[in-house]
Amino acid sequence: MATPPDVLTAPAASPPLPVPTRKGTAAATAPDPWAATARIVPRRRTGQWVSAAVALLLFAMAVNSLVHNKAFQWSVVAEWFTATSVMNGLTLTLWLTAVTLGLGFVLGTVLATMRLSANPVLRTLSWIYIWIFRSTPALVQLLLFFNIGALYPTLGLGIPFGPEFVTVRTVNLFGPTFTAVVGLTLLEAAYAAEVVRGGILSVDRGQLEAAAALGLGRWRVLRRIVVPQAMRSIVPTAGNMLISALKGTSIISVLAVSDLLYSVQLVYLQSYQVIPMLMVATLWYVVITTVLSVGQYYVERHFAKGATREGLPPTPLHRARAAFRRLRATADEAGTGKATTGGATTGKAAR
């Protein structure tokens, strides 16, 4: 039997539709009572705190062992740290590092240019040189140059397959220091060639095409466009090469060259104070490496100018100055607040 329309069940009330609002105006909603009392709880990072605590514990244990272990004999280290023999060895180490790395980059730049040349002969010769010197250990190369007299008793300059105008005996030419300079220079040149080549290849090809469209000469393009942009890629790797060359000079101690390590060895072979003297050499290497790292940081900042739109990040010195200014401003505000409170208290007492 059909149900009359007046007794049909009323449909369930649907939720009210949102009130349309114009763009730029907020919709009128009822205030949420929980919104005023809600508290943002930061995410718990238990793993980070545990790892930080473990790292600090290990660091404290290492510092404690360095301070309280009597085998280091820090008094002996302080006595020999600035000794004349040690300083002479350090001077020779720094001189060898500067000479070998400077000559190595000059020769490496030539090799990189040959490697990028359109001449297949130059490319092949450069690749063979880099392949040989990167494939053999540095100690083997030094020993081979030191004993080159067994291969070539004399070296001469003259016409091929003809008379020689100048002849010199290799025994008189290749002494320990000269052997170290030649061996380390040829080794550093092989690595510097790849560093320079990578820096040149990092420059966008469109930069060179734009320079050619403007009619700029090759030397000007190289000096004003290629080199400044390539240095951003060259400097970090060159800085690592400099530090490696500084530490790598210790290998020449096998040739009895009086560098830093060999000078230290001469002392502990007589006094039997092995650990303290090795710590003297270690501390000097740490000091020089730290100074070079700081210099590398500022050189990288110099060549990074204009690389990003945000500008260069502040240096540690800038951060320290900003922190000092914030501390001074906080202290001044605290002093001003105390003075204001004191003045108000005095006024109330007077009343």
Side-chain angles (χ1 to χ4, degrees):
M1 183 173 181
T3 305
D6 54 342
V7 295
L8 288 176
T9 306
S14 59
L17 297 175
V19 180
T21 58
R22 290 182 300 174
K23 185 178 181 180
T25 61
T29 57
D32 188 0
W34 294 97
T37 58
R39 183 171 62 91
I40 300 176
V41 180
R43 180 183 177 184
R44 296 181 180 179
R45 304 181 182 273
T46 307
Q48 291 186 2
W49 288 105
V50 171
S51 60
V54 172
L56 289 176
L57 177 62
L58 295 176
F59 178 74
M61 293 172 61
V63 172
N64 181 67
S65 66
L66 290 174
V67 173
H68 294 93
N69 193 341
K70 297 181 179 180
F72 286 107
Q73 302 182 35
W74 294 111
S75 59
V76 178
V77 174
E79 178 184 355
W80 284 95
F81 191 72
T82 56
T84 304
S85 60
V86 175
M87 298 304 295
N88 291 336
L90 177 63
T91 303
L92 182 59
T93 296
L94 295 176
W95 179 81
L96 277 175
T97 303
V99 170
T100 56
L101 197 66
L103 295 178
F105 261 94
V106 171
L107 181 57
T109 303
V110 176
L111 292 171
T113 306
M114 294 171 58
R115 188 80 184 273
L116 296 173
S117 174
N119 191 327
V121 177
L122 297 181
R123 288 202 311 267
T124 304
L125 292 177
S126 176
W127 181 85
I128 291 175
Y129 178 93
I130 296 171
W131 169 61
I132 291 176
F133 280 92
R134 289 174 62 188
S135 302
T136 54
L139 181 58
V140 174
Q141 296 177 25
L142 289 176
L143 293 176
L144 183 62
F145 282 111
F146 190 68
N147 296 280
I148 197 172
L151 289 174
Y152 302 100
T154 60
L155 294 176
L157 180 64
I159 301 175
F161 306 104
E164 295 181 351
F165 304 110
V166 179
T167 303
V168 62
R169 292 179 57 86
T170 54
V171 176
N172 301 328
L173 179 62
F174 280 83
T177 305
F178 185 74
T179 301
V181 171
V182 171
L184 294 178
T185 297
L186 296 178
L187 178 65
E188 295 296 333
Y191 291 98
E194 292 298 287
V195 172
V196 174
R197 186 175 70 92
I200 294 175
L201 292 177
S202 66
V203 180
D204 189 13
R205 187 68 182 177
Q207 302 278 339
L208 305 180
E209 295 176 354
L214 293 174
L216 301 179
R218 291 186 177 181
W219 173 246
R220 190 174 183 184
V221 171
L222 180 66
R223 183 171 56 93
R224 307 288 293 182
I225 297 177
V226 176
V227 172
Q229 297 185 64
M231 289 299 290
R232 291 202 299 264
S233 301
I234 292 176
V235 169
T237 311
N240 292 334
M241 284 186 58
L242 176 60
I243 294 174
S244 299
L246 172 69
K247 297 182 295 183
T249 54
S250 61
I251 200 174
I252 65 174
S253 60
V254 299
L255 305 180
V257 179
S258 299
D259 68 320
L260 176 60
L261 181 60
Y262 188 76
S263 301
V264 166
Q265 288 176 337
L266 290 179
V267 174
Y268 74 64
L269 287 176
Q270 298 176 2
S271 62
Y272 301 101
Q273 296 172 332
V274 180
I275 300 299
M277 298 310 301
L278 289 179
M279 290 304 299
V280 170
T282 301
L283 290 177
W284 270 120
Y285 281 121
V286 170
V287 169
I288 301 301
T289 302
T290 304
V291 173
L292 293 178
S293 300
V294 173
Q296 175 187 348
Y297 171 77
Y298 283 99
V299 172
E300 289 182 12
R301 282 180 57 87
H302 173 73
F303 285 104
K305 294 178 180 179
T308 58
R309 295 183 178 180
E310 293 79 11
L312 298 177
T315 63
L317 182 59
H318 293 161
R319 294 192 183 98
R321 289 177 178 175
F324 177 74
R325 285 195 295 266
R326 288 195 297 268
L327 289 176
R328 189 168 63 177
T330 304
D332 293 342
E333 291 178 358
T336 304
K338 289 182 180 179
T340 303
T341 305
T345 305
T346 305
K348 290 181 180 179
R351 287 195 295 271

